[in-house]
Amino acid sequence: MPEPQDRPEPRTADVSRPSPARLYNYYLGGKDNFAVDREAAESILAVMPEGRQVARENRAFLRRVVRHLTLETGIRQFVDLGTGLPTEGNVHEVAQEVASGARVVYVDNDPIVLAHGEAMLATDDQTAFIGADMREPDAILGDPRLKALIDFDEPVAVLFVSVLQFVPDDEEAAGLVRRFAEAVPPGSRVVISTITGTGQREDKVATITAAYANSTAPAVLRPRERIERLFGGLDLVPPGLVPAPEWHPGVHGETGDGTSWVLAGVGAVS
């Protein structure tokens, strides 16, 4: 199989180090990545050959949870934090397939992600991309583009899908969840999925941590109990915090069988 060709780089993009968004893109079979990303990804896949499957499982969870929230709770507004590079089954595509009026705001601080997102959504007035760091919630919540689309008098789904591992400090990560949860009204949902070290071999965890330590965003593989604490006082909706493939399987032919690398759950705002 020929090596993917590097695409022209945005002037502000750091392509001297791996990027989590581009690593994820590579795991999913995308071409929006560079040699430095592919090298880091292959170092992980060498000890974790199931890495591509893990990425697909996380992406499948995202599609299922958006569809579930749109169908079962009637939520029509989504804020996707650290969205990553656009790929098949983006949040607005899944939500708008169920409800044509669904509105989505994507947030990411990777300039390559922003460039692709803005191009993809140039003609979609129900969706917006904000170039911002999720660790600055007040700036995001006060952004005019978010205010133009999101009505905080109606329930909102806030998505932290495969991003909180890039906030190594537990108190900071939990504080981000709490700040966004406080900003949305009762009936809203907070979605979290994150990679875990619980039940995994130490050499695999060490290799993954080392690879991301050299990236633009170091990662931490939290044990299950620390992930549970990120939800704070939110009530976990059934089936609770479970491996991603086990969260409401049965959609798109998914069986619920899979790896346990990613834990996922949904908290209800009351």
Side-chain angles (χ1 to χ4, degrees):
M1 182 176 178
E3 186 77 354
Q5 295 299 307
D6 288 353
R7 299 194 172 194
E9 7 175 320
R11 292 180 183 175
T12 54
D14 182 358
V15 296
S16 66
R17 295 183 293 163
S19 150
R22 301 192 304 262
L23 285 167
Y24 192 47
N25 175 263
Y26 181 74
Y27 298 141
L28 290 171
K31 296 182 178 164
D32 297 307
N33 48 74
F34 297 91
V36 67
D37 306 302
R38 297 189 284 272
E39 182 180 350
E42 288 297 338
S43 73
I44 292 173
L45 292 172
V47 298
M48 183 188 174
E50 67 271 35
R52 293 185 187 277
Q53 178 183 350
V54 172
R56 290 193 298 268
E57 289 172 352
N58 186 71
R59 194 70 193 180
F61 163 73
L62 174 64
R63 293 193 299 267
R64 290 199 312 279
V65 76
V66 170
R67 186 172 179 80
H68 172 86
L69 293 177
T70 309
L71 279 172
E72 303 299 328
T73 70
I75 287 176
R76 298 292 183 265
Q77 307 182 105
F78 296 82
V79 178
D80 186 7
L81 299 163
T83 181
L85 284 155
T87 187
E88 183 180 355
N90 296 295
V91 173
H92 72 286
E93 294 168 333
V94 177
Q96 290 171 6
E97 182 181 320
V98 177
S100 59
R103 302 183 300 281
V104 178
V105 174
Y106 294 105
V107 180
D108 206 291
N109 64 350
D110 187 310
I112 294 180
V113 172
L114 185 60
H116 280 266
E118 289 177 337
M120 179 181 70
L121 301 173
T123 60
D124 187 342
D125 60 4
Q126 294 180 164
T127 311
F129 243 99
I130 297 175
D133 192 318
M134 68 174 181
R135 290 170 294 188
E136 298 177 351
D138 291 339
I140 294 167
L141 292 166
D143 191 289
R145 289 162 293 185
L146 184 138
K147 288 184 171 182
L149 282 178
I150 303 299
D151 179 358
F152 286 97
D153 290 327
E154 299 293 335
V156 181
V158 181
L159 310 179
F160 290 94
V161 175
S162 197
V163 291
L164 289 176
Q165 61 259 37
F166 303 115
V167 184
D169 184 82
D170 284 8
E171 289 188 12
E172 182 181 8
L176 291 175
V177 174
R178 183 170 58 252
R179 178 67 184 93
F180 280 99
E182 290 171 349
V184 296
S188 296
R189 298 289 187 270
V190 175
V191 178
I192 296 175
S193 76
T194 185
I195 194 167
T196 181
T198 295
Q200 311 302 342
R201 279 173 30 193
E202 290 184 7
D203 62 324
K204 291 187 177 186
V205 172
T207 298
I208 295 168
T209 304
Y212 279 98
N214 296 319
S215 77
T216 56
V220 59
L221 280 66
R222 291 183 173 89
R224 179 188 179 88
E225 60 271 17
R226 286 169 56 193
I227 295 172
E228 287 178 335
R229 288 199 288 269
L230 297 180
F231 286 93
L234 299 176
D235 294 323
L236 276 168
V237 302
L241 184 66
V242 295
E246 297 177 16
W247 201 92
H248 288 272
V251 181
H252 308 299
E254 294 159 12
T255 65
D257 298 326
T259 74
S260 57
W261 276 102
V262 173
L263 291 178
V266 176
V269 177
S270 57

